[in-house]
Amino acid sequence: MNAASFYAQAPKHLVAVDCIIFGFDEGKLKLLVMKRKVAPMEGEWSLVGGFVQAEESTDDAAAQVLKHTTGLENIYMDQLHCYGEVTRDTGARVISVAYYALIRIKDHDRPLAQEHGAHWLELHEIPALIFDHNRMINDALVQLRNNAHFHPIGFELLPEKFTLSQLRSLYEEIYQKTLDKRNFRKKILSLDVMEKLEEKDKTSSKKGAHLYRFDPARYEALMRKGLVFEI
């Protein structure tokens, strides 16, 4: 059998990408979900996604979905898992490659997201989604927690300048548990991957809290020297 006939006789499937988009706002970890605009299950809650075009890689397709929905480019994105159960999509035989992304909510194009019917919901507000999208979210949360434990990806969700309280609140949201304030401060400062700024955040008190900034160059230099990042 020649190559042409081999490929011609092979089964054809649709390939999609679905994006689990995390953001952090007002002390809460949130997810971007939308109302599906096409049948089947039109009007039901869904992750943001789309089909992979002929000229796209799955990475390119996921990046395009994110840009199309949020207006953002060059953001943190990681491939999560391939979901290929035969009956996972009631519309057709669709294999989905899922990605999770971390964005700063204040940076995204809010009118653009609203135009696509997208909404930011807290984790406890996530309703039943179409197909296997709730499973994707659960898998993404596990992966996010595993990566956040040993890599500084949490800083992708914070503004450029942040307080230690904001940072602790973020990790409490990621891990869904309360962290001891003193121990957290001691641990994060001991890693020496942040720059303490002269500026202060005075929104919650007159004295204010010092602002910090993650220093990626310092982090990379320390990693080369054997730093083990662990929170």
Side-chain angles (χ1 to χ4, degrees), residues 18-22 29 31 47 76 78-85 88 96-102 123 126 129 131-148 153 174:
D18 287 296
C19 297
I20 303 97
I21 306 173
F22 291 105
L29 189 64
L31 273 168
L47 292 173
Y76 181 93
D78 195 16
Q79 189 177 118
L80 175 65
H81 186 67
C82 179
Y83 297 83
E85 287 77 2
R88 60 167 300 276
S96 178
V97 181
Y99 290 78
Y100 79 91
L102 309 178
L123 297 183
I126 301 299
L129 306 183
F131 310 146
D132 49 4
H133 288 191
N134 286 95
R135 177 189 168 192
M136 292 180 182
I137 291 174
N138 290 333
D139 291 345
L141 282 168
V142 171
Q143 185 72 0
L144 174 62
R145 287 163 187 157
N146 288 340
N147 283 346
I153 62 172
I174 290 175

Side-chain angles (χ1 to χ4, degrees), residues 15 17 50-65:
V15 179
V17 290
F51 290 114
V52 180
Q53 302 303 309
E55 71 283 0
E56 290 180 317
S57 68
T58 55
D59 286 0
D60 290 340
Q64 182 61 31
V65 165

Side-chain angles (χ1 to χ4, degrees), residues 161 195-202 207-213:
K161 302 174 184 179
E195 175 190 0
K196 185 177 182 180
L197 306 177
E198 293 299 324
E199 302 171 59
K200 287 188 175 183
D201 176 10
K202 296 187 177 181
K207 182 180 178 181
H210 272 288
L211 291 168
Y212 290 79
R213 179 164 50 203

Side-chain angles (χ1 to χ4, degrees), residues 34-46:
M34 63 188 303
K35 289 292 186 75
R36 185 173 167 91
K37 295 184 178 181
V38 297
M41 305 187 78
E42 182 178 359
E44 298 296 317
W45 287 104
S46 167

